[in-house]
Amino acid sequence: VQLQASGGGLVQPGGSLRLSCAASGFVGSDYYAIGWFRQAPGKEREYISCLSSYDGSTYYTGDVKGRFLISRDNAKNTVYLQMNSLKPEDTADYSCAATIWGTLHCSPELTYDYWGQGTLVTVSS
């Protein structure tokens, strides 16, 4: 499984960005869960969102709930993270991860097996 995150950049506070996670290599499996993570400088990695192609479940950590929206394009094998009302504290390296094992139900406890590289999001005026 290969994952490619993109779409990061510099945005002003209150602005929006859409991140993409292009996935490939789900050989033998039509079902997966993809999660988004972020790591700010000097901080631990934070699990912020998930989408399951198996049961359609989603997950958002409290800080991004209501501001971020996860979605997917099946034809493009891509999962998107639409980020609105961005704040300076959203500045981080954002990466995506995937799993094709287990319950595939999005939750804070879901674990991931495949990881992509990050894309940097900077929120600053």
Side-chain angles (χ1 to χ4, degrees), residues 43-57:
K43 295 187 176 182
E44 294 187 353
R45 185 174 62 197
E46 180 185 17
Y47 176 30
I48 60 171
S49 187
C50 169
L51 183 147
S52 170
S53 74
Y54 177 68
D55 62 4
S57 59

Side-chain angles (χ1 to χ4, degrees), residues 26-111:
F26 290 117
V27 178
S29 175
D30 294 327
Y31 299 116
Y32 55 85
I34 287 185
W36 281 99
F37 293 76
R38 67 183 180 186
Q39 187 165 20
K43 295 187 176 182
E44 294 187 353
R45 185 174 62 197
E46 180 185 17
Y47 176 30
I48 60 171
S49 187
C50 169
L51 183 147
S52 170
S53 74
Y54 177 68
D55 62 4
S57 59
T58 59
Y59 162 77
Y60 299 94
T61 192
D63 184 49
V64 308
K65 195 174 296 183
R67 298 191 297 126
F68 291 9
L69 179 67
I70 193 167
S71 63
R72 65 179 174 141
D73 184 327
N74 290 337
K76 296 181 179 180
N77 285 332
T78 299
V79 172
Y80 302 101
L81 186 69
Q82 177 68 42
M83 307 188 296
N84 302 319
S85 303
L86 284 163
K87 308 173 183 178
E89 49 266 43
D90 293 318
T91 294
D93 186 67
Y94 286 71
S95 58
C96 56
T99 181
I100 57 173
W101 310 107
T103 66
L104 299 183
H105 179 74
C106 286
S107 73
E109 292 75 35
L110 187 63
T111 59

